[in-house]
Amino acid sequence: MSHRPFPGRRSVLRGSLAASAALALPTAVSAAPAFALSGRPRADWGVQAGDVTRDSGLVWVRSDRPARMVVETSGTESFRHPRRWQGPLLGADSDFTGTTRLHGLPAGEQIHYRVLLADPDDPRRTGEPVTGTFRTAPAKRRQGVRFVWSGDLAGQGWGINESIGGYRIFDAMAKVDPDFFLCSGDNIYADGVIPATQALPDGSVYRNLTTEEKSHVAVTLDDFRGNFRYNLLDQALRRFNAQVPNIVQWDDHEVRNNWYPGEVIGTGTAYPAGTRLDDLALRSRRAFSEYFPISTVSGRPDGRIYRVVNHGPLLDVFVLDMRTYRNANSPDDQTTDPQGILGAEQLRWLKRELSRSRAVWKVIAADMPLGLVVPDAVEGKANFEAVAQGDPGAPLGRELQIAELLRFVKHRRITGTVWLTADVHHTSAQHYDPSRAAFKDFEPFWEFVSGPLNAGAFPANALDGTFGPDRVFVKAPTAANVSPAEGYQFFGEVDIDGDSGELTVRLREYDGTVLFTKTLRPGLVGQ
């Protein structure tokens, strides 16, 4: 694949490191005296780009005070003849965050951007610019596509530990030089506390960076905002955000472990009795929309998260929301289930968009696995959290909706579908085949699991035989909640060759070591 190396990476790092230094040393004076004057807005949280296509992209920033967001773009790091984009006014109603949509960009090119924050009362007074870069999607397939994916950040009380390099996995992902990062959910653990220290099995101590918002579970809007801000304290993550655009989805821990619509919290938890999860979800979705550049949300707390991101002739990414429209967690053994895990409307949308796609590869970004059994034991009840419930027979419960989708893909002869997910805190590769399955009206397909980014790692989940999964590869600890200091942190890479169209998946460890490789051929309904 003819991937160009990142041009101008040094200037990108200069911009992102300026923000890093400002966070690490709040009293430090900038190297540029003109920008150190009091009253000028600061972008100490770095920049992000998201949902980049062949001619558009979104750029995000957070200010430390009211400011007007301005974005300049250029084809070179020198920013000669820049194009200027007037962004929104950033204020307290959005926690001083904002996103600017860029359009009319050249396809398959490196775009350099810098964000300036201007005093609303005096536009000539601007803070120090923060720079970033991204590649637009190619118009021609020969350029190829490469991206990385993972999920689960700051979970189980394992937060930013600067003695091990903080969220060091982001540096390893940046070295792969991806076109974008697909985050498969659990970007925050709103239901999890980050203590100052945690004891490790060898007697040493894991030391966390802490904040007030991470000292208790998130209930208010400000609590949720503080959870998203916490991750941006990490320098490796801010460096990565300045170099790699993202495609972000959410899952349960953005709100609470294993939550579902209509759920009400009882007594004996860290939450006030009677707390409605729908209320928490609304607050989390608003903070989520404020802290990530996402095309469908558009800053509205009720905006949907599921969407398709077109990344040139080789790839469409179908981003699912398996949380917002699901039915209640239960034994999941019902013989009819029109709501399922996606909801009827999202399922119709997914069928329609898969039928319309002309991309060689159609990556289905799921926030939960299909054939791995994920329990949700509540008061002794054998409830289930994902699709599978451990019954290897004919589809039941949420499996009915997935069976309908798989049947649709087969009979419409939709080629090149690959499922990617995270959620279960280990890495694995499953091949699904009707010859091994109780339900047989589908074509073979692959599902790849990767994660966590920085959270507790857990043993591999059991498989459910309904769709005939064969676990071809797995790496997982034998003990539960293994810390990031002990390893077992993972990400995946997808590399689509522009000449042959072949798609290669590599499952990698936190340091970039390749654990497993699988290459798939294009143009097949199932393989």
Side-chain angles (χ1 to χ4, degrees):
M1 183 175 70
S2 56
H3 247 325
R4 295 183 300 278
F6 263 129
R9 185 182 293 268
R10 290 181 179 176
S11 69
V12 172
L13 290 177
R14 280 198 297 270
S16 60
L17 286 173
S20 299
L23 278 172
L25 301 169
T27 59
V29 177
S30 168
F35 297 117
L37 300 177
S38 62
R40 295 183 185 267
R42 298 172 61 95
D44 290 344
W45 307 95
V47 288
Q48 299 179 61
D51 284 10
V52 170
T53 69
R54 70 181 68 185
D55 62 358
S56 67
L58 302 169
V59 170
W60 173 97
V61 77
R62 182 178 191 264
S63 177
D64 67 339
R65 68 195 72 192
R68 171 69 67 181
M69 179 181 183
V70 178
V71 181
E72 293 182 339
T73 63
S74 175
T76 65
E77 59 181 319
S78 65
F79 283 92
R80 294 186 63 186
H81 310 296
R83 185 177 178 184
R84 175 166 282 215
W85 311 81
Q86 193 80 348
L89 184 64
L90 313 182
D93 60 334
S94 65
D95 203 28
F96 304 102
T97 67
T99 296
T100 298
R101 176 178 291 277
L102 313 181
H103 55 83
L105 302 175
E109 296 293 337
Q110 196 77 28
I111 305 298
H112 297 268
Y113 68 91
R114 60 187 176 195
V115 178
L116 299 95
L117 298 176
D119 186 324
D121 298 321
D122 184 358
R124 296 170 299 178
R125 293 173 56 84
T126 61
E128 185 171 5
V130 181
T131 59
T133 187
F134 60 84
R135 280 190 289 267
T136 50
K140 300 178 180 179
R141 59 177 283 169
R142 293 203 63 182
Q143 284 185 269
V145 178
R146 182 188 300 128
F147 69 93
V148 292
W149 94 93
S150 187
D152 313 298
L153 188 59
Q156 291 73 48
W158 308 111
I160 301 169
N161 182 347
E162 294 179 332
S163 69
I164 65 170
Y167 294 159
R168 54 188 174 176
I169 196 170
F170 286 95
D171 285 334
M173 291 196 296
K175 290 178 182 177
V176 174
D177 189 20
D179 291 298
F180 63 88
F181 168 53
L182 168 63
C183 188
S184 301
D186 291 343
N187 300 270
I188 61 170
Y189 278 69
D191 56 334
V193 172
I194 300 288
T197 61
Q198 288 208 78
L200 295 174
D202 63 0
S204 62
V205 176
Y206 189 100
R207 301 187 183 280
N208 286 310
L209 189 63
T210 61
T211 64
E212 193 280 328
E213 292 91 349
K214 291 303 299 177
S215 66
H216 56 270
V217 299
V219 175
T220 68
L221 175 59
D222 284 342
D223 290 340
F224 285 103
R225 286 168 167 170
N227 272 256
F228 288 103
R229 282 199 304 272
Y230 176 81
N231 288 333
L232 293 174
L233 294 174
D234 183 74
Q235 296 187 38
L237 175 56
R238 292 200 307 279
R239 285 193 298 268
F240 184 81
N241 283 344
Q243 301 170 49
V244 181
N246 59 51
I247 298 175
V248 181
Q249 62 191 138
W250 78 342
D251 195 33
D252 56 332
H253 288 287
E254 272 79 11
V255 179
R256 184 177 186 257
N257 186 43
N258 296 352
W259 79 274
Y260 52 83
E263 184 179 2
V264 179
I265 297 175
T267 59
T269 74
Y271 296 85
T275 298
R276 298 174 66 249
L277 270 294
D278 290 346
D279 293 338
L280 297 187
L282 191 65
R283 295 164 197 156
S284 178
R285 185 191 297 269
R286 176 168 175 177
F288 184 89
S289 74
E290 291 169 344
Y291 275 85
F292 292 117
I294 300 176
S295 55
T296 56
V297 172
S298 300
R300 294 166 38 227
D302 60 340
R304 78 169 198 249
I305 291 171
Y306 69 85
R307 62 205 188 275
V308 57
V309 180
N310 307 113
H311 203 83
L314 283 172
L315 176 65
D316 282 342
V317 181
F318 297 84
V319 183
L320 303 187
D321 180 353
M322 304 174 87
R323 187 59 51 182
T324 306
Y325 311 101
R326 62 164 54 201
N327 51 20
N329 290 354
S330 72
D332 203 33
D333 56 2
Q334 61 270 30
T335 56
T336 60
D337 191 357
Q339 185 173 359
I341 199 165
L342 297 174
E345 181 180 345
Q346 186 176 189
L347 178 60
R348 287 192 296 270
W349 164 85
L350 181 56
K351 288 179 176 179
R352 182 177 67 249
E353 294 300 324
L354 283 169
S355 297
R356 291 175 175 174
S357 175
R358 296 296 175 263
V360 175
W361 293 99
K362 301 155 189 72
V363 164
I364 301 176
D367 41 299
M368 302 211 75
L370 298 184
L372 279 63
V373 180
V374 184
D376 179 26
V378 178
E379 298 177 353
K381 297 179 182 178
N383 291 342
F384 295 93
E385 157 73 354
V387 174
Q389 77 292 82
D391 183 334
L396 295 171
R398 293 168 178 162
E399 291 173 337
L400 292 163
Q401 193 175 66
I402 300 303
E404 180 182 345
L405 176 61
L406 297 178
R407 182 189 299 114
F408 177 85
V409 169
K410 173 185 174 180
H411 289 277
R412 289 296 185 96
R413 298 196 61 78
I414 297 171
T415 62
T417 57
V418 178
W419 291 72
L420 302 181
T421 189
D423 184 71
V424 289
H425 297 228
H426 65 260
T427 189
S428 66
Q430 286 79 235
H431 182 247
Y432 292 77
D433 194 301
S435 67
R436 297 186 295 264
F439 174 76
K440 297 184 178 297
D441 196 8
F442 71 99
E443 295 287 353
F445 67 94
W446 283 87
E447 174 188 58
F448 299 96
V449 179
S450 194
L453 287 161
N454 193 97
F458 287 83
N461 297 60
L463 293 181
D464 182 308
T466 297
F467 300 118
D470 175 27
R471 189 149 44 201
V472 177
F473 172 81
V474 63
K475 184 168 183 180
T478 56
N481 198 18
V482 173
S483 80
E486 301 166 82
Y488 292 102
Q489 312 291 296
F490 307 104
F491 70 96
E493 172 198 352
V494 174
D495 195 343
I496 307 176
D497 182 75
D499 293 321
S500 67
E502 291 183 338
L503 181 149
T504 298
V505 176
R506 300 180 182 92
L507 301 180
R508 294 177 178 263
E509 288 195 282
Y510 70 91
D511 60 357
T513 300
V514 176
L515 301 170
F516 173 82
T517 301
K518 178 65 183 180
T519 297
L520 306 178
R521 292 180 296 149
L524 302 180
V525 177
Q527 56 183 309

